[in-house]
Amino acid sequence: NRMIRLIIGLFLSFGILSNSQAQADRKKALLIAVADYPEAGGWNSLSSMNDLNLVTKTLLNQGFKEENILTLTNDKAVKKSILKAIQVDLLNKINPGDIVYFQFSGHGQQAADKSGDEIDGLDECIVPYDSPKKFNPGVYEGENLITDDELGQALTKVQEKLGPEGHVVVVLDACHSGTGTRGIAQARGTTEIMASPDYIKQQQNKILKKENNEMAPKARGGSAVKAASMVSFFGSAQNQLNYEMTDDEGHHYGSLSYAISSSLSTLNSGSSYRTLFDKIRNQMSRIAPLQQPQVEGELDMDVFNGKMLGKASYYRCLKVVSETQ
C-alpha cells in the first residue's frame, strides 16, 4: 500500500509539474522601451528602461520564461524594427493557443488621421526612436510614427496565428495625445500634434459638429471569429498626457508600468482583467492623479490564462473622501 501511494504521488507530482511547464511554454512577451531619444528629434529622455526591468521581473514571477521574453530598446526600436519584431520575430515564436504580452514604453503623439475613422480627425501614435517631434511640411510629416491603425493591423496577425484558444495582452505606457494639461512629473508625450496648422484648425472646427461625434468607434485588433481575444491597457485617455512617477526609493517609472506590476504582484490566482484594472486604477489615482488609465477588450477573463470567468462580484471604490477615515 505504501508503494502504491508513493507511485500515485509521483504521478500526481509529475502531472502538476508537466502542466506548469506547459503553461510557462505558452507565455510569450515582446517588450519595447525607448528611453534615450536622439537629441535632434526634440524629445526628452524617459525612464523606459526602468519599465522594462520592472515588467520583466513581474512577467517572470507570472510564469513567463526568460527565453520567451523578447526586448527591443532605444536606437534598435525604429519604426521598421518595431513592426518586424511584431510581425516576424514574435510571430515566428508563438504557437496557436499561446498567451502573448506586448508592451511599449516611450513617447506618444497624435497625428493627422489619414483613414478617416477618428472622431477628432487625429490618430493616436506611439513614437519610435526615429520619429522627430516637429511637423515640417515636405520634410517630415510623421512617416515614422506608428499609428493605432498600423499597430492594430500588426497585432491582428498575432491574434490570427494564436487562434481562438490564444490570448493577447497589450500595454501602452505612453500618452496618445495631449491637451493643455501640465503635471509635476515627466510627461511621456506632447501636446504638439503631428499635422499642419491648417489641418489642426480644420479638425477643431469639425469636431464641434454633433454628427461628427456619432461615428461608431473602431475596434482595435482582429475582428475575425478565429482570432485570439485581446485586452489592452492604456496609460491615459486620448486627451491626456501620461506621466512618470517616483517610488519610495527615488526610482522613476512609467505610471502604468508601475501600477500594473504592483497590481499583478498582489493579484489572487483566478482573478479577472476587470479585477486587475480596478487595482491599476486605484494605484494610479494616487501616483498619477492627472490621468485616467483606459482598458479595452474582454475583461471577464482569467489573467494570463484566457479562460472566461463570471462577472465580478465585489464592490469598487469610486471616490476617496479622506485618506485618514
Side-chain angles (χ1 to χ4, degrees), residues 91-104:
L91 203 66
N92 289 339
K93 196 171 185 65
I94 62 176
N95 299 301
D98 280 351
I99 308 296
V100 170
Y101 180 97
F102 171 83
Q103 175 161 337
F104 174 83

Side-chain angles (χ1 to χ4, degrees), residues 60-272:
L60 292 174
N61 290 334
Q62 291 293 319
F64 286 72
K65 291 183 176 180
E66 189 170 0
E67 60 266 30
N68 287 336
I69 301 176
L70 305 176
T71 60
L72 195 65
T73 63
N74 288 329
D75 60 343
K76 303 295 190 298
V78 297
K79 178 176 182 175
K80 182 178 179 181
S81 297
I82 291 175
L83 294 178
K84 174 183 176 294
I86 301 172
Q87 297 171 313
V88 179
D89 301 338
L90 180 61
L91 203 66
N92 289 339
K93 196 171 185 65
I94 62 176
N95 299 301
D98 280 351
I99 308 296
V100 170
Y101 180 97
F102 171 83
Q103 175 161 337
F104 174 83
S105 287
H107 280 297
Q109 187 175 28
Q110 284 188 310
D113 171 31
K114 297 179 181 178
S115 60
D117 61 348
E118 296 284 358
I119 293 175
D120 57 1
L122 300 171
D123 274 324
E124 284 72 56
C125 311
I126 58 174
V127 181
Y129 179 85
D130 58 338
S131 182
K133 184 177 182 179
K134 297 284 186 181
F135 179 88
N136 192 349
V139 178
Y140 182 71
E141 299 183 0
E143 297 82 4
N144 292 341
L145 290 170
I146 297 179
T147 68
D148 48 5
D149 297 315
E150 292 174 309
L151 183 59
Q153 290 167 7
L155 290 171
T156 293
K157 295 182 179 180
V158 174
Q159 291 177 269
E160 290 172 346
K161 183 169 182 180
L162 293 177
E165 300 301 316
H167 185 58
V168 181
V169 178
V170 177
V171 176
L172 300 183
D173 202 343
C175 58
H176 298 180
S177 68
T179 58
T181 307
R182 289 292 185 272
I184 59 174
Q186 180 88 288
R188 291 195 165 189
T190 178
T191 59
E192 188 163 336
I193 297 170
M194 181 61 69
S196 68
D198 288 343
Y199 182 89
I200 295 172
K201 183 177 180 180
Q202 177 187 6
Q203 296 308 313
Q204 288 173 339
N205 291 331
K206 188 177 179 183
I207 61 176
L208 295 177
K209 298 181 180 179
K210 181 179 179 181
E211 62 268 23
N212 201 57
N213 289 323
E214 294 175 351
M215 293 173 62
K218 64 181 177 184
R220 293 178 186 266
S223 58
V225 175
K226 296 183 179 180
S229 57
M230 179 187 288
V231 173
S232 303
F233 295 92
F234 309 100
S236 61
Q238 66 177 20
N239 64 335
Q240 295 175 329
L241 291 176
N242 179 55
Y243 297 97
E244 294 192 349
M245 55 78 63
T246 306
D247 68 7
D248 294 337
E249 285 74 43
H251 301 127
H252 302 286
Y253 300 100
S255 51
L256 179 59
S257 295
Y258 184 86
I260 199 169
S261 294
S262 58
S263 296
L264 281 169
S265 69
T266 60
L267 196 69
N268 295 326
S269 176
S271 295
S272 69

